[in-house]
Amino acid sequence: MTQIITVTNQKGGVGKTTTASALVCGLNQRGARVLGVDLDPQGNLGFTLGLDIGSGRTVYDMLKGACSIEEAIAATDYGDVIPSDIMLSAAEVEFTAPRREFLLNQKLSAVRDSYDFVIIDTPPALNLLTVNAYVASTGLIVPMEAEVLSLVGITQLQETIETVRASFNPDLKVLGILLNKFNPRLTLSKDILELAENVAQQLDSRVFQAKIHRGVGVAMAPAHGQSVLTYQPSSRPAQDFQSIVDAVAGERFPRPKGLKTKYYSQFFN
């Protein structure tokens, strides 16, 4: 069964695209068939994975019906990607047909069986694009920066998830909360961890044991069209992300031999 996982948080700057690109890259390293879908009009997922944004069809063209999903898919060294650009920002106004919440799900149905995983990157908003991602998904990952402001709006996120469960996708699960830019030596980070665990309980979920530590490679990798997993594979953030990929990949797609990463005894606190 294909797992469709959305990386989501209505707050910007919490590491959604970094997480999505790491999942695409890490799952591909394990031999899984992976499709990345960029639902953020900023188009950063495709750029991060080495695509020349603006040179081909996009998720906007696909959703609008100007091309098929097969025509929108671009191949990269890290897996297939459906890129995005600024035109997608018009989705809220342009897509007004009945059952517009199912647009993405309907398009994915044509290729779902061709992939083991579909990873969806979302905009920093709880809008039509985000709802489309939730409707199509089997699970959500919620990245949060280890600071107080990242907790703001979680109630609204919870309400959106509950609405989608009630109206469109009763099987939607929150796979876990992922703490990003984490520093265990700071009292603030420890306090945020405790608060995040409370938030996770509200979402009927848990906090990933692997926390993503700060590192220069995370910021530098997109400029080289890479995920941090290939740009600095031995760095602490890359090791942390590989542990998140472990939790998603499960036993079906184990780590390839020789992959330098830190092993965690369990995936959740």
Side-chain angles (χ1 to χ4, degrees), residues 163-177:
T163 298
V164 170
R165 283 172 174 164
S167 303
F168 308 116
N169 184 1
D171 297 323
L172 180 64
K173 295 179 175 60
V174 180
L175 301 179
I177 289 178

Side-chain angles (χ1 to χ4, degrees), residues 250-267:
E251 296 181 356
R252 286 179 62 203
F253 299 100
R255 302 182 188 212
K257 292 181 179 179
L259 194 63
K260 295 181 179 180
T261 49
K262 176 178 178 179
Y263 286 77
Y264 288 82
S265 58
Q266 57 185 31
F267 298 129

Side-chain angles (χ1 to χ4, degrees), residues 8 10 126 134 142 153-161 203:
T8 182
Q10 70 268 36
L126 295 175
Y134 290 8
V142 183
I154 289 295
T155 300
Q156 186 181 1
L157 176 66
Q158 181 181 8
E159 290 173 354
T160 302
I161 293 171
L203 297 174

Side-chain angles (χ1 to χ4, degrees), residues 189-235:
S189 290
K190 296 176 183 178
D191 292 342
I192 294 299
L193 173 58
E194 183 176 344
L195 292 171
E197 289 170 342
N198 293 333
V199 169
Q201 290 180 0
Q202 296 174 29
L203 297 174
D204 193 25
S205 184
R206 307 177 79 176
V207 176
F208 285 100
Q209 184 184 11
K211 317 299 187 298
I212 311 303
H213 293 71
R214 292 180 181 271
V216 175
V218 175
M220 293 294 295
H224 296 268
Q226 297 185 53
S227 161
V228 68
L229 300 192
T230 56
Y231 180 67
Q232 286 189 351
S234 296
S235 67

Side-chain angles (χ1 to χ4, degrees), residues 2 37 63 72 74 92 121 124 128 164 178 187 236 265 269:
T2 304
V37 180
L63 294 175
E92 200 79 31
D121 191 18
L128 176 63
V164 170
L178 175 60
T187 302
R236 181 60 186 271
S265 58
N269 287 326

Side-chain angles (χ1 to χ4, degrees), residues 63-79:
L63 294 175
K64 192 177 180 180
C67 72
S68 67
I69 186 170
E70 291 87 354
E71 292 173 311
I73 293 173
T76 77
D77 292 338
Y78 314 103

Side-chain angles (χ1 to χ4, degrees), residues 44-256:
N44 289 333
L45 180 61
F47 178 79
T48 298
L49 295 176
L51 286 181
D52 181 13
I53 304 302
S55 63
R57 295 291 196 173
T58 67
V59 70
Y60 171 75
D61 298 319
M62 178 193 76
L63 294 175
K64 192 177 180 180
C67 72
S68 67
I69 186 170
E70 291 87 354
E71 292 173 311
I73 293 173
T76 77
D77 292 338
Y78 314 103
D80 291 345
V81 179
I82 303 179
S84 176
D85 62 18
I86 194 63
M87 293 297 295
L88 189 59
S89 59
E92 200 79 31
V93 176
E94 289 194 30
F95 302 147
T96 58
R99 293 177 61 83
R100 62 181 189 159
E101 297 87 359
F102 290 86
L103 269 174
L104 179 63
N105 190 47
Q106 292 168 352
K107 300 295 182 180
L108 286 175
S109 65
V111 299
R112 185 180 282 114
D113 292 341
S114 299
Y115 295 98
D116 300 301
F117 295 93
V118 177
I119 306 299
I120 305 174
D121 191 18
T122 54
L126 295 175
N127 57 16
L128 176 63
L129 295 171
T130 306
V131 171
N132 261 266
Y134 290 8
V135 171
S137 294
T138 55
L140 308 178
I141 291 177
V142 183
M144 289 176 54
E145 194 169 354
E147 62 175 32
V148 175
L149 290 179
S150 283
L151 294 168
V152 176
I154 289 295
T155 300
Q156 186 181 1
L157 176 66
Q158 181 181 8
E159 290 173 354
T160 302
I161 293 171
E162 290 175 350
T163 298
V164 170
R165 283 172 174 164
S167 303
F168 308 116
N169 184 1
D171 297 323
L172 180 64
K173 295 179 175 60
V174 180
L175 301 179
I177 289 178
L178 175 60
L179 283 182
N180 200 6
K181 299 179 182 179
F182 188 78
N183 186 342
R185 292 173 294 182
L186 297 179
T187 302
L188 175 61
S189 290
K190 296 176 183 178
D191 292 342
I192 294 299
L193 173 58
E194 183 176 344
L195 292 171
E197 289 170 342
N198 293 333
V199 169
Q201 290 180 0
Q202 296 174 29
L203 297 174
D204 193 25
S205 184
R206 307 177 79 176
V207 176
F208 285 100
Q209 184 184 11
K211 317 299 187 298
I212 311 303
H213 293 71
R214 292 180 181 271
V216 175
V218 175
M220 293 294 295
H224 296 268
Q226 297 185 53
S227 161
V228 68
L229 300 192
T230 56
Y231 180 67
Q232 286 189 351
S234 296
S235 67
R236 181 60 186 271
Q239 294 179 30
D240 296 335
F241 273 122
Q242 288 287 9
S243 293
I244 302 302
V245 178
D246 281 341
V248 172
E251 296 181 356
R252 286 179 62 203
F253 299 100
R255 302 182 188 212

